Amino acid sequence: MTNNGETMAGRERLLAAAGRKPVDTTPVWFMRQAGRCLPEYRALREKHPFLEVARTPELAVEATMMPIDRLGVDGAVLFADIMLPLDGMGVDFEIRPGVGPVIANPIRTAEDIERLRVVDPEEGTPYVLDAIALLSRTLGDRAATLGFAGAPFTLACYLVDGRPTKEYPRTKALMYGRPDLWDALMTKLTEVTARYLEGQVRNGADVVQLFDSWLGLVDPVSYRERVAPYTAAIFERLRGLAPTIHFSTGTVQLLPEIAATRPAMVSVDWRLPLDTAWDVIGPDLGIQGNLDPSMLMAPWKTVESGALDVLRRAGGRTGHIFNLGHGLHPDTDPDQLSRLVHLVHRQGP
Ligand code: CP3
């Protein structure tokens, strides 16, 4: 309950938490909630390839709405992929099932970087903007419309190494050894990403999340000098437009530096208890997290005590969105997820 004793709709609840305001109960959504753990998604994918779903607003919204209808979460993350803005930049890629993004011609030379186009999302990815607008109309107040983009570092990992690897060695070699090329690449990715997120907000995104999934590979000094300035520039562009969430995983060593890029909230994984992570980030930023997605495949009693521990550590402070530390595993049982949403909502602020 809020001060006046009313319950909030999902959108209002999530936006209140993102704005560090009181909530009736903790808002909750899950990364990768629209995806392979839902049978209705798997059925949709039997009829349409992944990129066709992502590039067709009606299909993207259909996939986005599946977990809203089934789980009762407070946020709807657009069904899309971090690779999509590269479409407009002129990069040819595919998403291989069970592998991930694969780039036809990896970006490695000054000429490759020179050729990357810096475009507005209206030109490069109009279907994402249309999908956001349709999603936000479809949702009304039920849940917040969550937009997102990949962060420049993580996009650079795919562009330079060309496919998923454990360590992204070519990307990091470019970062260490060719600061001039690295800056040129990161500057272009930063500009495209900022325009892409601004476009999503103009079209109805309530909150935007920046996914820096492979940041755990970076040391604090390199992060401060070669990555954080670009991230901070994106958050600066969005300040006053919409609350921002920084996502990464395996970045205990970087949390103070991440906080210094000034998102509204920092999404943290399970490697630190939530209260410890919040102490490091500082009281003036919100926090999202941080149940281990693997725990969802353990018996319900384990999930329940794990979730209650997260909430106890949040301690009723304003500015917490309940989430996982990373995306759901495809073989998670959706019933565990709806029980978890009920549990979080039942606990109150
Ligand atoms: O609910 C949601 O979160 C849906 C939207 C979403 C997808 N990808 C759909 C998707 C989001 C937010 C992403 C972001 C994304 N994509 C990230 C950042 C998040 C993270 O997990 O760290 C990254 C690194 C990617 C790149 C990517 N795309 C990977 C690693 C994969 C998985 C490849 C595989 O098959 O295991 C994809 C494909 C992808 N993106 C799928 C989905 C639902 C699976 C495709 C399918 O249906 O087969």
Side-chain angles (χ1 to χ4, degrees):
M1 296 290 146
T2 47
N3 294 341
N4 56 13
E6 284 168 19
T7 50
M8 296 168 125
R11 175 171 182 269
E12 186 190 3
R13 181 180 294 137
L14 193 140
L15 276 173
R20 314 289 314 274
K21 300 199 178 76
V23 286
D24 61 340
T25 190
T26 307
V28 51
W29 67 283
F30 305 118
M31 289 181 269
R32 290 282 165 97
Q33 64 190 17
R36 287 170 292 186
C37 75
L38 299 182
E40 51 273 36
Y41 173 77
R42 293 196 297 270
L44 181 73
R45 282 281 282 99
E46 278 178 20
K47 291 186 276 173
H48 307 279
F50 173 75
L51 284 175
E52 184 189 327
V53 180
R55 288 177 179 143
T56 311
E58 292 71 25
L59 294 178
V61 170
E62 187 182 335
T64 308
M65 290 304 292
M66 288 169 177
I68 311 308
D69 297 333
R70 185 194 264 258
L71 307 177
V73 283
D74 301 298
V77 59
L78 179 70
F79 186 88
D81 197 82
I82 60 166
M83 300 300 285
L84 296 178
L86 303 178
D87 257 354
M89 299 185 80
V91 176
D92 188 10
F93 66 88
E94 57 174 312
I95 302 223
R96 284 203 196 139
V99 177
V102 178
I103 311 279
N105 302 299
I107 305 295
R108 295 193 181 146
T109 64
E111 296 70 45
D112 294 340
I113 296 167
E114 189 59 39
R115 270 197 297 274
L116 292 174
R117 300 174 58 223
V118 174
V119 286
D120 287 321
E122 286 77 5
E123 184 194 338
T125 42
Y127 51 86
V128 170
L129 303 185
D130 292 346
I132 285 275
L134 179 61
L135 176 62
S136 137
R137 284 199 305 275
T138 307
L139 285 166
D141 280 340
R142 279 177 76 189
T145 299
L146 306 177
F148 73 92
F153 175 78
T154 289
L155 294 176
C157 285
Y158 287 125
L159 284 175
V160 178
D161 272 272
R163 56 174 58 238
T165 78
K166 269 213 174 87
E167 312 249 335
Y168 295 96
R170 287 173 184 270
T171 308
K172 289 174 72 189
L174 189 76
M175 176 182 84
Y176 293 130
R178 288 300 304 267
D180 53 332
L181 295 190
W182 180 253
D183 177 62
L185 176 61
M186 293 291 278
T187 299
K188 282 192 165 182
L189 290 170
T190 298
E191 184 59 31
V192 170
T193 305
R195 291 188 199 176
Y196 182 65
L197 291 174
E198 287 166 349
Q200 292 183 38
V201 173
R202 275 197 303 276
N203 282 272
D206 294 311
V207 176
V208 290
Q209 178 158 320
L210 193 66
F211 282 97
D212 217 346
S213 302
W214 312 133
L215 202 52
L217 298 169
V218 179
D219 68 276
V221 172
S222 302
Y223 181 69
R224 190 181 318 134
E225 291 172 0
R226 311 264 161 102
V227 180
Y230 307 95
T231 308
I234 293 172
F235 293 137
E236 193 51 45
R237 290 271 286 268
L238 289 152
R239 205 169 314 288
L241 295 179
T244 48
I245 305 175
H246 181 282
F247 167 84
S248 64
T249 176
T251 47
V252 166
Q253 78 281 16
L254 301 180
L255 283 183
E257 304 288 345
I258 289 170
T261 66
R262 309 313 290 166
M265 314 187 89
V266 179
S267 192
V268 295
D269 72 14
W270 58 90
R271 288 174 176 84
L272 283 179
L274 188 97
D275 47 348
T276 310
W278 211 342
D279 285 346
V280 177
I281 291 162
D284 50 336
L285 298 188
I287 197 163
Q288 173 173 272
N290 72 337
L291 201 69
D292 186 342
S294 302
M295 199 183 272
L296 290 170
M297 295 186 295
W300 168 250
K301 280 282 155 216
T302 309
V303 179
E304 183 179 41
S305 63
L308 291 175
D309 185 59
V310 169
L311 291 170
R312 187 179 59 71
R313 290 175 186 279
R317 287 176 277 183
T318 55
H320 175 224
I321 296 178
F322 189 98
N323 206 320
L324 308 173
H326 202 170
L328 285 170
H329 294 288
D331 37 7
T332 306
D333 175 359
D335 290 342
Q336 294 270 75
L337 296 173
S338 31
R339 281 181 92 168
L340 178 54
V341 172
H342 286 301
L343 175 74
V344 171
H345 280 167
R346 261 203 323 273
Q347 299 309 309

